[in-house]
Amino acid sequence: MIAMVELDRRINGMQRPWHPFQIATWFLFPIILAHYYAFLEHLLWDPVAVEIVLTIVFSIFSICTAVFAYYTVTIDPIDDAVLCVEVPASTGGTSVTKEVIHCYLCEKDVHQTSKHCRFCDKCIIGFDHHCKWLNTCIGKKNYPYFLGIVTFVGLMTSESLAISIALLVESFAYSDGFMDRLNDGDFLKGRIGTELTLSALQGLLIASVVVLLALVLMILQLGTFHAVLIYRNLTTYDYIVLEQKRLRDKENDRLKQQIEKQKARSKTAIGAADATGPARPLGSSNKVPSGGIEMNANGLTMGRVGSNSSAQQIMSVEGSVPEAKTSEPESNSARRYAQVPAESDVVTTEQADGDHNV
């Protein structure tokens, strides 16, 4: 038997505290509606059928957006296993599910696709992401409704953008006919309540195109992103984990290449030093041509050969310095030894375990 229990947790997106982005959507959506019904609709073309059809289509898109948003926000995307108390098998109880992982925060065995959201403080089955604009998690239970929001918001804003662009082009290309159509029968004054000049209308239309274009591009990018995820059978969480692993692997490959190049340079330098042979003993004679520095057997400077100074001015210190001890020749390779870090110094990070609940 499995009993259901109610936990002290966040249930859905309408529960406080509300996120600032969520409050912003409460203002943005009505503004988009008001922009169409209070402004664009009054500038539509004759016959009236065109205005009616476009307005009905826009209204359908708006209603669908509101309905999908309501279901997305109000549905609790929690893993049902968190709400269940499993009765021991000796009393006839059964396992919650066959493919489970343990969440140490919920202290429950949950589905392997579940992840614990730190904002909602619960495990979400089929976790995709936490949406701040809706103030709720998007998972298996409400993901289809979330896609509905993205789709119909995109259609709604795209229609407003297309109408705004068409009216803007008409205002510049056929300015006289544009104003005659709007002023016919006190059109603007009767519907908007004031008389607007051509420049004012063009300014409003330009502002509409700029704002709506930005919205449409953002929604298009979001919709395209989720379409690719669906095609690749990934969630947003899976994509982020894979992207982080790709960046870590790229950084580790870069570090390994640096180490290999440093090893190659060190081997080249050591090989060149060994090719020059062993260093000459300190006791050998080191004489240079006239004008250079003359060295005695102990490597001490005696004077300049060929200079104008007399031989008496050259001070010999051979008798005052003890004979240098003969030592084994030291190879230049020993002097130029370069410490090369081992490959084991590069720390690689394995892919984050998708089944680990944090």
Side-chain angles (χ1 to χ4, degrees), residues 169-194:
V169 171
E170 182 187 4
S171 68
F172 280 98
Y174 310 99
S175 57
D176 294 337
F178 179 72
M179 292 305 297
D180 291 340
R181 177 172 66 84
L182 297 181
N183 289 323
D184 185 19
D186 293 330
F187 179 87
L188 290 176
K189 188 174 182 180
R191 294 196 176 189
I192 300 180
T194 183

PDB file of all heavy atoms in Angstrom, residues 169-194:
ATOM      1  N   VAL A 169       4.750  50.889 -43.291  1.00  0.00           N
ATOM      2  CA  VAL A 169       5.110  51.021 -44.712  1.00  0.00           C
ATOM      3  C   VAL A 169       4.063  51.853 -45.437  1.00  0.00           C
ATOM      4  O   VAL A 169       4.389  52.723 -46.259  1.00  0.00           O
ATOM      5  CB  VAL A 169       5.249  49.624 -45.353  1.00  0.00           C
ATOM      6  CG1 VAL A 169       5.413  49.751 -46.870  1.00  0.00           C
ATOM      7  CG2 VAL A 169       6.426  48.877 -44.752  1.00  0.00           C
ATOM      8  N   GLU A 170       2.797  51.624 -45.148  1.00  0.00           N
ATOM      9  CA  GLU A 170       1.727  52.395 -45.781  1.00  0.00           C
ATOM     10  C   GLU A 170       1.811  53.875 -45.420  1.00  0.00           C
ATOM     11  O   GLU A 170       1.586  54.748 -46.271  1.00  0.00           O
ATOM     12  CB  GLU A 170       0.365  51.845 -45.349  1.00  0.00           C
ATOM     13  CG  GLU A 170      -0.814  52.578 -45.999  1.00  0.00           C
ATOM     14  CD  GLU A 170      -2.147  52.139 -45.438  1.00  0.00           C
ATOM     15  OE1 GLU A 170      -2.159  51.327 -44.500  1.00  0.00           O
ATOM     16  OE2 GLU A 170      -3.191  52.623 -45.936  1.00  0.00           O
ATOM     17  N   SER A 171       2.176  54.191 -44.189  1.00  0.00           N
ATOM     18  CA  SER A 171       2.240  55.590 -43.762  1.00  0.00           C
ATOM     19  C   SER A 171       3.337  56.354 -44.472  1.00  0.00           C
ATOM     20  O   SER A 171       3.238  57.578 -44.660  1.00  0.00           O
ATOM     21  CB  SER A 171       2.438  55.664 -42.253  1.00  0.00           C
ATOM     22  OG  SER A 171       3.724  55.176 -41.876  1.00  0.00           O
ATOM     23  N   PHE A 172       4.410  55.662 -44.877  1.00  0.00           N
ATOM     24  CA  PHE A 172       5.500  56.332 -45.590  1.00  0.00           C
ATOM     25  C   PHE A 172       5.280  56.290 -47.106  1.00  0.00           C
ATOM     26  O   PHE A 172       5.579  57.268 -47.801  1.00  0.00           O
ATOM     27  CB  PHE A 172       6.843  55.674 -45.245  1.00  0.00           C
ATOM     28  CG  PHE A 172       7.421  56.121 -43.934  1.00  0.00           C
ATOM     29  CD1 PHE A 172       7.263  55.353 -42.791  1.00  0.00           C
ATOM     30  CD2 PHE A 172       8.108  57.322 -43.835  1.00  0.00           C
ATOM     31  CE1 PHE A 172       7.791  55.767 -41.584  1.00  0.00           C
ATOM     32  CE2 PHE A 172       8.642  57.749 -42.628  1.00  0.00           C
ATOM     33  CZ  PHE A 172       8.477  56.965 -41.491  1.00  0.00           C
ATOM     34  N   ALA A 173       4.787  55.175 -47.625  1.00  0.00           N
ATOM     35  CA  ALA A 173       4.631  55.034 -49.078  1.00  0.00           C
ATOM     36  C   ALA A 173       3.378  55.730 -49.596  1.00  0.00           C
ATOM     37  O   ALA A 173       3.379  56.269 -50.714  1.00  0.00           O
ATOM     38  CB  ALA A 173       4.617  53.551 -49.456  1.00  0.00           C
ATOM     39  N   TYR A 174       2.311  55.700 -48.818  1.00  0.00           N
ATOM     40  CA  TYR A 174       1.041  56.305 -49.245  1.00  0.00           C
ATOM     41  C   TYR A 174       0.514  57.180 -48.108  1.00  0.00           C
ATOM     42  O   TYR A 174      -0.549  56.913 -47.547  1.00  0.00           O
ATOM     43  CB  TYR A 174       0.020  55.213 -49.596  1.00  0.00           C
ATOM     44  CG  TYR A 174       0.550  54.163 -50.541  1.00  0.00           C
ATOM     45  CD1 TYR A 174       1.007  52.943 -50.058  1.00  0.00           C
ATOM     46  CD2 TYR A 174       0.610  54.398 -51.916  1.00  0.00           C
ATOM     47  CE1 TYR A 174       1.490  51.971 -50.920  1.00  0.00           C
ATOM     48  CE2 TYR A 174       1.093  53.435 -52.781  1.00  0.00           C
ATOM     49  CZ  TYR A 174       1.543  52.223 -52.279  1.00  0.00           C
ATOM     50  OH  TYR A 174       2.031  51.272 -53.127  1.00  0.00           O
ATOM     51  N   SER A 175       1.286  58.178 -47.775  1.00  0.00           N
ATOM     52  CA  SER A 175       0.960  59.014 -46.607  1.00  0.00           C
ATOM     53  C   SER A 175      -0.385  59.731 -46.768  1.00  0.00           C
ATOM     54  O   SER A 175      -1.185  59.788 -45.821  1.00  0.00           O
ATOM     55  CB  SER A 175       2.070  60.034 -46.363  1.00  0.00           C
ATOM     56  OG  SER A 175       2.269  60.837 -47.518  1.00  0.00           O
ATOM     57  N   ASP A 176      -0.662  60.265 -47.972  1.00  0.00           N
ATOM     58  CA  ASP A 176      -1.918  60.994 -48.169  1.00  0.00           C
ATOM     59  C   ASP A 176      -3.129  60.067 -48.051  1.00  0.00           C
ATOM     60  O   ASP A 176      -4.100  60.367 -47.348  1.00  0.00           O
ATOM     61  CB  ASP A 176      -1.921  61.680 -49.540  1.00  0.00           C
ATOM     62  CG  ASP A 176      -0.867  62.773 -49.630  1.00  0.00           C
ATOM     63  OD1 ASP A 176      -0.469  63.278 -48.563  1.00  0.00           O
ATOM     64  OD2 ASP A 176      -0.443  63.095 -50.760  1.00  0.00           O
ATOM     65  N   GLY A 177      -3.056  58.948 -48.734  1.00  0.00           N
ATOM     66  CA  GLY A 177      -4.162  57.998 -48.654  1.00  0.00           C
ATOM     67  C   GLY A 177      -4.299  57.400 -47.260  1.00  0.00           C
ATOM     68  O   GLY A 177      -5.421  57.111 -46.815  1.00  0.00           O
ATOM     69  N   PHE A 178      -3.183  57.249 -46.570  1.00  0.00           N
ATOM     70  CA  PHE A 178      -3.206  56.702 -45.206  1.00  0.00           C
ATOM     71  C   PHE A 178      -3.971  57.632 -44.272  1.00  0.00           C
ATOM     72  O   PHE A 178      -4.855  57.201 -43.520  1.00  0.00           O
ATOM     73  CB  PHE A 178      -1.766  56.505 -44.727  1.00  0.00           C
ATOM     74  CG  PHE A 178      -1.646  55.975 -43.322  1.00  0.00           C
ATOM     75  CD1 PHE A 178      -1.962  54.656 -43.024  1.00  0.00           C
ATOM     76  CD2 PHE A 178      -1.218  56.806 -42.288  1.00  0.00           C
ATOM     77  CE1 PHE A 178      -1.842  54.176 -41.725  1.00  0.00           C
ATOM     78  CE2 PHE A 178      -1.104  56.334 -41.000  1.00  0.00           C
ATOM     79  CZ  PHE A 178      -1.420  55.013 -40.711  1.00  0.00           C
ATOM     80  N   MET A 179      -3.665  58.941 -44.345  1.00  0.00           N
ATOM     81  CA  MET A 179      -4.339  59.891 -43.461  1.00  0.00           C
ATOM     82  C   MET A 179      -5.791  60.114 -43.891  1.00  0.00           C
ATOM     83  O   MET A 179      -6.672  60.300 -43.041  1.00  0.00           O
ATOM     84  CB  MET A 179      -3.580  61.217 -43.459  1.00  0.00           C
ATOM     85  CG  MET A 179      -2.209  61.129 -42.788  1.00  0.00           C
ATOM     86  SD  MET A 179      -2.273  60.492 -41.100  1.00  0.00           S
ATOM     87  CE  MET A 179      -3.248  61.764 -40.292  1.00  0.00           C
ATOM     88  N   ASP A 180      -6.063  60.099 -45.223  1.00  0.00           N
ATOM     89  CA  ASP A 180      -7.450  60.254 -45.675  1.00  0.00           C
ATOM     90  C   ASP A 180      -8.319  59.107 -45.169  1.00  0.00           C
ATOM     91  O   ASP A 180      -9.473  59.309 -44.774  1.00  0.00           O
ATOM     92  CB  ASP A 180      -7.495  60.312 -47.201  1.00  0.00           C
ATOM     93  CG  ASP A 180      -6.872  61.592 -47.754  1.00  0.00           C
ATOM     94  OD1 ASP A 180      -6.759  62.562 -46.969  1.00  0.00           O
ATOM     95  OD2 ASP A 180      -6.489  61.603 -48.940  1.00  0.00           O
ATOM     96  N   ARG A 181      -7.759  57.896 -45.181  1.00  0.00           N
ATOM     97  CA  ARG A 181      -8.519  56.744 -44.704  1.00  0.00           C
ATOM     98  C   ARG A 181      -8.817  56.838 -43.215  1.00  0.00           C
ATOM     99  O   ARG A 181      -9.920  56.527 -42.758  1.00  0.00           O
ATOM    100  CB  ARG A 181      -7.738  55.456 -45.006  1.00  0.00           C
ATOM    101  CG  ARG A 181      -8.403  54.184 -44.480  1.00  0.00           C
ATOM    102  CD  ARG A 181      -7.671  52.956 -44.989  1.00  0.00           C
ATOM    103  NE  ARG A 181      -6.330  52.857 -44.446  1.00  0.00           N
ATOM    104  CZ  ARG A 181      -6.052  52.324 -43.255  1.00  0.00           C
ATOM    105  NH1 ARG A 181      -7.030  51.896 -42.474  1.00  0.00           N
ATOM    106  NH2 ARG A 181      -4.805  52.238 -42.845  1.00  0.00           N
ATOM    107  N   LEU A 182      -7.850  57.315 -42.453  1.00  0.00           N
ATOM    108  CA  LEU A 182      -8.036  57.393 -41.005  1.00  0.00           C
ATOM    109  C   LEU A 182      -8.927  58.564 -40.607  1.00  0.00           C
ATOM    110  O   LEU A 182      -9.655  58.490 -39.617  1.00  0.00           O
ATOM    111  CB  LEU A 182      -6.679  57.509 -40.315  1.00  0.00           C
ATOM    112  CG  LEU A 182      -5.727  56.311 -40.494  1.00  0.00           C
ATOM    113  CD1 LEU A 182      -4.441  56.552 -39.736  1.00  0.00           C
ATOM    114  CD2 LEU A 182      -6.373  55.015 -40.065  1.00  0.00           C
ATOM    115  N   ASN A 183      -8.857  59.654 -41.364  1.00  0.00           N
ATOM    116  CA  ASN A 183      -9.641  60.841 -41.013  1.00  0.00           C
ATOM    117  C   ASN A 183     -11.044  60.821 -41.600  1.00  0.00           C
ATOM    118  O   ASN A 183     -11.838  61.724 -41.343  1.00  0.00           O
ATOM    119  CB  ASN A 183      -8.925  62.111 -41.495  1.00  0.00           C
ATOM    120  CG  ASN A 183      -7.681  62.392 -40.667  1.00  0.00           C
ATOM    121  OD1 ASN A 183      -7.677  62.158 -39.452  1.00  0.00           O
ATOM    122  ND2 ASN A 183      -6.626  62.873 -41.307  1.00  0.00           N
ATOM    123  N   ASP A 184     -11.316  59.821 -42.408  1.00  0.00           N
ATOM    124  CA  ASP A 184     -12.644  59.737 -43.025  1.00  0.00           C
ATOM    125  C   ASP A 184     -13.692  59.489 -41.949  1.00  0.00           C
ATOM    126  O   ASP A 184     -13.661  58.496 -41.233  1.00  0.00           O
ATOM    127  CB  ASP A 184     -12.667  58.599 -44.052  1.00  0.00           C
ATOM    128  CG  ASP A 184     -13.992  58.552 -44.802  1.00  0.00           C
ATOM    129  OD1 ASP A 184     -14.711  59.566 -44.792  1.00  0.00           O
ATOM    130  OD2 ASP A 184     -14.300  57.492 -45.370  1.00  0.00           O
ATOM    131  N   GLY A 185     -14.622  60.414 -41.820  1.00  0.00           N
ATOM    132  CA  GLY A 185     -15.666  60.291 -40.813  1.00  0.00           C
ATOM    133  C   GLY A 185     -15.146  60.448 -39.405  1.00  0.00           C
ATOM    134  O   GLY A 185     -15.648  59.791 -38.486  1.00  0.00           O
ATOM    135  N   ASP A 186     -14.143  61.324 -39.243  1.00  0.00           N
ATOM    136  CA  ASP A 186     -13.546  61.543 -37.919  1.00  0.00           C
ATOM    137  C   ASP A 186     -13.139  60.207 -37.285  1.00  0.00           C
ATOM    138  O   ASP A 186     -13.412  59.905 -36.119  1.00  0.00           O
ATOM    139  CB  ASP A 186     -14.505  62.282 -36.990  1.00  0.00           C
ATOM    140  CG  ASP A 186     -14.753  63.707 -37.440  1.00  0.00           C
ATOM    141  OD1 ASP A 186     -13.818  64.282 -38.052  1.00  0.00           O
ATOM    142  OD2 ASP A 186     -15.839  64.230 -37.195  1.00  0.00           O
ATOM    143  N   PHE A 187     -12.443  59.386 -38.079  1.00  0.00           N
ATOM    144  CA  PHE A 187     -12.081  58.043 -37.628  1.00  0.00           C
ATOM    145  C   PHE A 187     -11.245  58.085 -36.352  1.00  0.00           C
ATOM    146  O   PHE A 187     -11.574  57.470 -35.343  1.00  0.00           O
ATOM    147  CB  PHE A 187     -11.310  57.335 -38.751  1.00  0.00           C
ATOM    148  CG  PHE A 187     -10.862  55.941 -38.400  1.00  0.00           C
ATOM    149  CD1 PHE A 187     -11.716  54.871 -38.605  1.00  0.00           C
ATOM    150  CD2 PHE A 187      -9.612  55.698 -37.865  1.00  0.00           C
ATOM    151  CE1 PHE A 187     -11.319  53.583 -38.292  1.00  0.00           C
ATOM    152  CE2 PHE A 187      -9.208  54.425 -37.543  1.00  0.00           C
ATOM    153  CZ  PHE A 187     -10.058  53.360 -37.755  1.00  0.00           C
ATOM    154  N   LEU A 188     -10.126  58.835 -36.414  1.00  0.00           N
ATOM    155  CA  LEU A 188      -9.237  58.887 -35.261  1.00  0.00           C
ATOM    156  C   LEU A 188      -9.901  59.553 -34.069  1.00  0.00           C
ATOM    157  O   LEU A 188      -9.789  59.067 -32.937  1.00  0.00           O
ATOM    158  CB  LEU A 188      -7.942  59.618 -35.636  1.00  0.00           C
ATOM    159  CG  LEU A 188      -7.007  58.869 -36.595  1.00  0.00           C
ATOM    160  CD1 LEU A 188      -5.815  59.746 -36.943  1.00  0.00           C
ATOM    161  CD2 LEU A 188      -6.538  57.580 -35.960  1.00  0.00           C
ATOM    162  N   LYS A 189     -10.555  60.659 -34.317  1.00  0.00           N
ATOM    163  CA  LYS A 189     -11.161  61.397 -33.209  1.00  0.00           C
ATOM    164  C   LYS A 189     -12.294  60.601 -32.576  1.00  0.00           C
ATOM    165  O   LYS A 189     -12.505  60.631 -31.366  1.00  0.00           O
ATOM    166  CB  LYS A 189     -11.671  62.757 -33.690  1.00  0.00           C
ATOM    167  CG  LYS A 189     -12.142  63.656 -32.569  1.00  0.00           C
ATOM    168  CD  LYS A 189     -12.493  65.036 -33.089  1.00  0.00           C
ATOM    169  CE  LYS A 189     -12.929  65.961 -31.951  1.00  0.00           C
ATOM    170  NZ  LYS A 189     -13.276  67.312 -32.452  1.00  0.00           N
ATOM    171  N   GLY A 190     -13.031  59.847 -33.403  1.00  0.00           N
ATOM    172  CA  GLY A 190     -14.147  59.090 -32.866  1.00  0.00           C
ATOM    173  C   GLY A 190     -13.716  57.844 -32.114  1.00  0.00           C
ATOM    174  O   GLY A 190     -14.334  57.451 -31.140  1.00  0.00           O
ATOM    175  N   ARG A 191     -12.610  57.212 -32.542  1.00  0.00           N
ATOM    176  CA  ARG A 191     -12.197  55.952 -31.917  1.00  0.00           C
ATOM    177  C   ARG A 191     -11.105  56.137 -30.872  1.00  0.00           C
ATOM    178  O   ARG A 191     -11.143  55.493 -29.828  1.00  0.00           O
ATOM    179  CB  ARG A 191     -11.712  54.978 -32.991  1.00  0.00           C
ATOM    180  CG  ARG A 191     -12.829  54.538 -33.946  1.00  0.00           C
ATOM    181  CD  ARG A 191     -12.389  53.311 -34.710  1.00  0.00           C
ATOM    182  NE  ARG A 191     -13.460  52.807 -35.562  1.00  0.00           N
ATOM    183  CZ  ARG A 191     -13.411  51.643 -36.212  1.00  0.00           C
ATOM    184  NH1 ARG A 191     -12.348  50.889 -36.124  1.00  0.00           N
ATOM    185  NH2 ARG A 191     -14.426  51.261 -36.960  1.00  0.00           N
ATOM    186  N   ILE A 192     -10.144  56.984 -31.181  1.00  0.00           N
ATOM    187  CA  ILE A 192      -9.037  57.178 -30.238  1.00  0.00           C
ATOM    188  C   ILE A 192      -9.330  58.326 -29.285  1.00  0.00           C
ATOM    189  O   ILE A 192      -8.820  58.376 -28.172  1.00  0.00           O
ATOM    190  CB  ILE A 192      -7.713  57.420 -31.017  1.00  0.00           C
ATOM    191  CG1 ILE A 192      -7.413  56.221 -31.909  1.00  0.00           C
ATOM    192  CG2 ILE A 192      -6.554  57.650 -30.078  1.00  0.00           C
ATOM    193  CD1 ILE A 192      -6.151  56.345 -32.705  1.00  0.00           C
ATOM    194  N   GLY A 193     -10.177  59.236 -29.696  1.00  0.00           N
ATOM    195  CA  GLY A 193     -10.528  60.356 -28.841  1.00  0.00           C
ATOM    196  C   GLY A 193      -9.682  61.579 -29.059  1.00  0.00           C
ATOM    197  O   GLY A 193      -9.818  62.563 -28.344  1.00  0.00           O
ATOM    198  N   THR A 194      -8.795  61.538 -30.025  1.00  0.00           N
ATOM    199  CA  THR A 194      -7.957  62.693 -30.311  1.00  0.00           C
ATOM    200  C   THR A 194      -7.497  62.625 -31.761  1.00  0.00           C
ATOM    201  O   THR A 194      -7.563  61.570 -32.396  1.00  0.00           O
ATOM    202  CB  THR A 194      -6.723  62.736 -29.381  1.00  0.00           C
ATOM    203  OG1 THR A 194      -5.978  63.926 -29.655  1.00  0.00           O
ATOM    204  CG2 THR A 194      -5.841  61.534 -29.612  1.00  0.00           C
TER     205      THR A 194
END
